[in-house]
Amino acid sequence: MTRYAFFQDQIVPIEQAQVSIMTHTFNYGTGCFAGIRAYWNDDTGELNVFRLEDHYKRFLESANLLRAELPYTPADLSAVTLELLAREGWRQDAYIRPLHYKTDEIIGVRVHGLTDAVAIFSVPMGDYLARGGIHACVSSWRRVDDNAIPARGKIIGAYANSSLIKSDAVLSGFDEAIVLNQDGHVSEGSAANLMLIRDGALITPPITDNILEGIVRRSLMTLAREELGLTVVERSIDRSELYRADEAFFCGTGVQIAPIARIDHRDIGNGGIGPITQQLSDLFFRVVRGQEPKYSAWLTKAPALESIETNE
Ligand SMILES: Cc1ncc(COP(=O)(O)O)c(C=O)c1O
């Protein structure tokens, strides 16, 4: 089976999508990326991409932080992605990875005056974290600060920070870590946002606490307000509040919704999956699988290959 990628403005067999070791972004991390999920629905035989254009809007904003000048709109990149998916023909859940990078093969740190490019590939993907209630620790690392590498941009170099956070947690026997910002407030997970339930309200750190402005986070805030009638509060969270939460979970494209059963060896609630987390999770999975018509605008159906070829 041939695998494909979008590379140098064309969809090519993935083996042809190669860059030199001298590439600026490979040397200095001066690029950004996105992570987008496509959900397979067995009943309808459709692959639906979740919030496709919203992901590309954030992607282009991240690239802009790195002074990239890319000749694409979110709609252009969405169209290319749908064509790529049609060629890949996944009949299972998939993950799409758009990359922005600086192609120049030069030595020297800067982000201006360089050539920017976009590449996109996709892979099949199931759950990234277990969804049965995980054990998280508070990391001894701090989240990259907005005045160092902006966390609101999904900047490649900043994922060395995420990787250190994740590995130290896993090698110490935890499933995932919660990381604090420079002020000591809760920021997020290594590659996911964090939400707590306290006294029936959903609480999540504000976008000014060095988090990635997550698309799943935003979607869940809407679902919690509109469908579950919850009060949603964006405010700074102290470390010790984590231990007092009734429920806690990570959310994001990769992790989807990953309930947290324990933090630093302390049970959260009764140490299982909390009832509100369960309700929100059930709703979220109905939405992404296309079973909630009210939210169908969040989904874009990947076309069949024939319809793409007919258009050529
Ligand atoms: C650091 C970080 N925070 C949060 C998220 C969640 O963002 P989104 O819901 O847009 O996937 C991600 C990516 O998935 C991430 O890498």
Side-chain angles (χ1 to χ4, degrees), residues 14-153:
I14 200 156
E15 305 74 38
Q16 291 175 26
Q18 306 273 348
V19 296
S20 157
I21 58 165
M22 288 180 66
T23 305
H24 198 271
T25 298
F26 186 64
N27 283 258
Y28 301 116
T30 50
C32 66
F33 67 102
I36 309 171
R37 268 194 191 260
Y39 288 92
W40 175 251
N41 183 324
D42 240 344
D43 298 332
T44 58
E46 287 174 3
L47 186 70
N48 287 307
V49 190
F50 187 62
R51 304 199 74 163
L52 182 58
E53 282 208 27
D54 292 324
H55 274 282
Y56 279 121
K57 185 166 175 288
R58 187 182 65 197
F59 176 72
L60 292 173
E61 285 166 3
S62 295
N64 191 259
L65 284 170
L66 296 171
R67 297 186 179 277
E69 287 173 16
L70 291 166
Y72 308 109
T73 62
D76 296 336
L77 293 173
S78 299
V80 162
T81 301
L82 294 175
E83 183 176 345
L84 176 68
L85 288 175
R87 287 191 192 264
E88 295 280 50
W90 302 120
R91 294 176 67 81
Q92 57 187 308
D93 294 349
Y95 184 84
I96 302 142
R97 167 53 50 82
L99 292 157
H100 147 256
Y101 62 105
K102 299 205 178 263
T103 63
D104 307 70
E105 298 178 12
I106 55 150
I107 300 295
V109 290
R110 63 176 201 260
V111 289
H112 71 283
L114 299 172
T115 309
D116 296 284
V118 170
I120 311 172
F121 66 89
S122 73
V123 289
M125 191 187 259
D127 290 342
Y128 175 87
L129 272 182
R131 286 200 272 123
I134 60 171
H135 190 186
C137 61
V138 173
S139 180
S140 57
W141 295 98
R142 292 291 167 110
R143 189 83 182 101
V144 281
D145 187 72
D146 193 50
N147 294 298
I149 307 178
R152 70 168 42 75

Side-chain angles (χ1 to χ4, degrees), residues 90-262:
W90 302 120
R91 294 176 67 81
Q92 57 187 308
D93 294 349
Y95 184 84
I96 302 142
R97 167 53 50 82
L99 292 157
H100 147 256
Y101 62 105
K102 299 205 178 263
T103 63
D104 307 70
E105 298 178 12
I106 55 150
I107 300 295
V109 290
R110 63 176 201 260
V111 289
H112 71 283
L114 299 172
T115 309
D116 296 284
V118 170
I120 311 172
F121 66 89
S122 73
V123 289
M125 191 187 259
D127 290 342
Y128 175 87
L129 272 182
R131 286 200 272 123
I134 60 171
H135 190 186
C137 61
V138 173
S139 180
S140 57
W141 295 98
R142 292 291 167 110
R143 189 83 182 101
V144 281
D145 187 72
D146 193 50
N147 294 298
I149 307 178
R152 70 168 42 75
K154 220 170 149 58
I155 295 173
I156 293 173
Y159 280 74
N161 178 239
S162 295
S163 302
L164 289 167
I165 292 162
K166 177 77 180 193
S167 282
D168 282 10
V170 169
L171 295 174
S172 305
F174 298 94
D175 302 299
E176 179 54 80
I178 296 166
V179 60
L180 309 179
N181 62 20
Q182 300 297 327
D183 304 337
H185 287 122
V186 171
S187 155
E188 55 183 343
S190 61
N193 292 118
L194 180 84
M195 293 188 167
L196 304 182
I197 307 289
R198 280 193 85 184
D199 300 325
L202 186 138
I203 306 170
T204 194
I207 59 171
T208 44
D209 270 349
N210 288 328
I211 66 166
L212 182 75
E213 297 175 13
I215 289 167
V216 173
R217 170 185 181 273
R218 205 160 77 220
S219 309
L220 292 178
M221 286 162 66
T222 302
L223 294 175
R225 272 195 198 107
E226 301 284 320
E227 308 304 322
L228 306 188
L230 297 181
T231 302
V232 175
V233 187
E234 286 176 88
R235 64 158 175 81
S236 293
I237 297 174
D238 284 338
R239 174 184 188 150
S240 59
E241 270 193 287
L242 294 171
Y243 307 141
R244 302 296 308 273
D246 301 322
E247 304 180 28
F249 59 91
F250 291 111
C251 63
T253 300
V255 308
Q256 306 174 101
I257 293 184
I260 303 172
R262 286 191 300 156

